[in-house]
Amino acid sequence: MRPTTALLLALVLGLGTASSTNRARAYCRMTTSTTAPSLAQPCVTDGLPLEWRRRCFEYSVDVGGSPDMDRPTLEGIITASFDAWLNVRCGGVAPGFEVRETPDASVCREAEYRGSGGNVNTIAFLDDWAAYDYDPAAFAVTTVWHVTATGEILDVDMQLNQTLGPYGVCPAAGCPGADTGTAEMADLQNIVTHEIGHVFGIGHSEMPGAAMYAVSRRGETDKRILRTDDTDAFCAIYPPGSLPSECAFPPIGGLRLDCPASSGGGRCAVSHAERSGSLPAWALLLGTSLLIGRRKRRRTRPSR
Ligand SMILES: [Zn+2]
C-alpha cells in the first residue's frame, strides 16, 4: 500500500564536533529539522525525532564489498556491529528489533530512496569519495530517509569512505598507533557500530568514549562497545512494547537490490520518470550524519 503522506526534501548534515569539553551531555536524536547541528549547537531539538515504527528490516551489502577483506569477514563485522545494538536490554527487555542481511548482495552504492517501487538499505564502500559532496575526513555517511510529517524512518543507506582505508580488524584494545590516530588501518567494526546508531535514529553524543561520539581516532575500537549514553538513547527511543509485534523484513514497496544511479540504466529509468512526473508530492527529507576521521592527527597532550 502506498502511503499518502506528503514529504519534503531536504539535507541535514550531522557534523561531527571536535569539542574538547568534558561536560557530560546526554545523547542527541536525529530529527526532521533542516537545521544542521554545529559546534555551538550539536543537538538539534526542533523537528520531530526520527524512529523506526517497524521492528524488522533488512540490509544488503553492495556486491563490490571492500577491497580490504573477504566477504565473509565483512559480513561478520557488520553482523557483530548490529548485534551490539540488538543485544541492548532496556529494563531487562529487548525492544524487539529483528534485522537480517538479504541473501543476495545489493548492486547499489548510492544513498537513494524511491517513493514508488522497491528499495534497499544498502551498505557500500566508495573509492571515489571525492566525487561526492561529503566531508573528506569522514569515515562514513549514513543517510536516513524518513517521513518529514511523522519522523518515521523508511530507509537507511550507509556509505563508507574507502579512501580512508584500509579497513580491518584491530585487536580489542585498538591497533598500534590508535592513541595518536596514526594506526595503519581503521577498525571497521568501530565505525559501523557508530553508523548503525544513526540507522536507529540516534544522533551524536558529546561524551568522548560513547559509540555515538562524532570523532573517531584511526585504529580505535572504543565505539565497538556501547556505553550507557548509547543504550540510554536506544532505550529512550524504543522502550519495550513500543514497536509493533508484526514482523516484515522487506522495505515498503518491496526489496529492490539495485538503484538507478549505479545500475547503468535500463528499467531503473522508470522510477526516476515516475517520481518526477506523477508523484511530485513525493519528496523526502534526508538526514545525514558523519563519523569524522582524524587521520594522522597530531598528538594532543593530556590537559594538566
Ligand atoms: Zn555519526
Side-chain angles (χ1 to χ4, degrees):
M1 184 175 291
R2 181 180 300 165
T4 55
T5 313
L7 312 172
L8 297 171
L9 178 61
L11 175 68
V12 176
L13 283 176
L15 295 175
T17 69
S19 170
S20 59
T21 177
N22 289 321
R23 183 163 45 97
R25 176 181 280 197
Y27 56 84
C28 298
R29 292 183 64 172
M30 298 176 80
T31 79
T32 59
S33 173
T34 55
T35 302
S38 66
L39 278 171
Q41 186 63 267
C43 267
V44 173
T45 54
D46 61 324
L48 297 167
L50 304 191
E51 62 189 27
W52 287 94
R53 296 190 181 164
R54 54 190 302 181
R55 70 178 191 88
C56 299
F57 63 91
E58 59 189 0
Y59 64 90
S60 300
V61 182
D62 177 64
V63 68
S66 166
D68 301 326
M69 63 192 76
D70 60 33
R71 194 164 181 93
T73 302
L74 172 58
E75 291 178 336
I77 289 170
I78 294 170
T79 299
S81 303
F82 266 109
D83 283 349
W85 293 97
L86 298 178
N87 288 336
V88 172
R89 297 293 177 268
C90 309
V93 182
F97 277 108
E98 290 185 50
V99 180
R100 71 181 186 189
E101 184 179 0
T102 58
D104 297 318
S106 51
V107 189
C108 179
R109 290 156 34 88
E110 310 302 325
E112 294 186 344
Y113 183 77
R114 296 181 185 89
S116 173
N119 280 288
V120 60
N121 300 312
T122 196
I123 299 175
F125 289 79
L126 306 182
D127 54 13
D128 55 348
W129 193 259
Y132 292 76
D133 188 23
Y134 295 153
D135 189 320
F139 278 122
V141 169
T142 294
T143 301
V144 181
W145 301 88
H146 57 275
V147 182
T148 55
T150 64
E152 180 181 359
I153 297 173
L154 300 172
D155 182 272
V156 288
D157 299 304
M158 186 190 304
Q159 295 167 297
L160 293 117
N161 182 355
Q162 186 59 51
T163 68
L164 289 185
Y167 294 100
V169 181
C170 289
C175 276
D179 57 339
T180 56
T182 57
E184 286 302 311
M185 69 179 179
D187 185 76
L188 185 60
Q189 187 176 337
N190 183 72
I191 294 163
V192 174
T193 302
H194 172 98
E195 295 304 319
I196 291 172
H198 295 316
V199 165
F200 285 110
I202 304 170
H204 283 144
S205 170
E206 274 200 292
M207 217 176 267
M212 296 314 294
Y213 190 59
V215 180
S216 175
R217 286 169 289 109
R218 187 173 183 78
E220 74 157 61
T221 52
D222 297 355
K223 294 175 176 59
R224 289 183 187 177
I225 310 288
L226 303 188
R227 310 298 170 182
T228 302
D229 191 52
D230 304 307
T231 57
D232 282 353
F234 190 70
C235 291
I237 302 175
Y238 306 108
S242 62
L243 293 167
S245 57
E246 307 82 59
C247 175
F249 289 97
I252 299 167
L255 175 65
R256 182 165 164 176
L257 292 169
D258 64 348
C259 56
S262 62
S263 62
R267 63 197 171 99
C268 302
V270 173
S271 59
H272 271 316
E274 198 173 17
R275 187 194 295 180
S276 59
S278 63
L279 292 171
W282 276 98
L284 304 159
L285 190 141
L286 170 65
T288 305
S289 283
L290 309 177
L291 176 54
I292 303 296
R294 288 300 179 93
R295 193 176 192 181
K296 311 282 187 191
R297 180 183 172 193
R298 290 175 69 95
R299 182 179 188 125
T300 304
R301 286 187 172 279
S303 54
R304 295 173 192 154

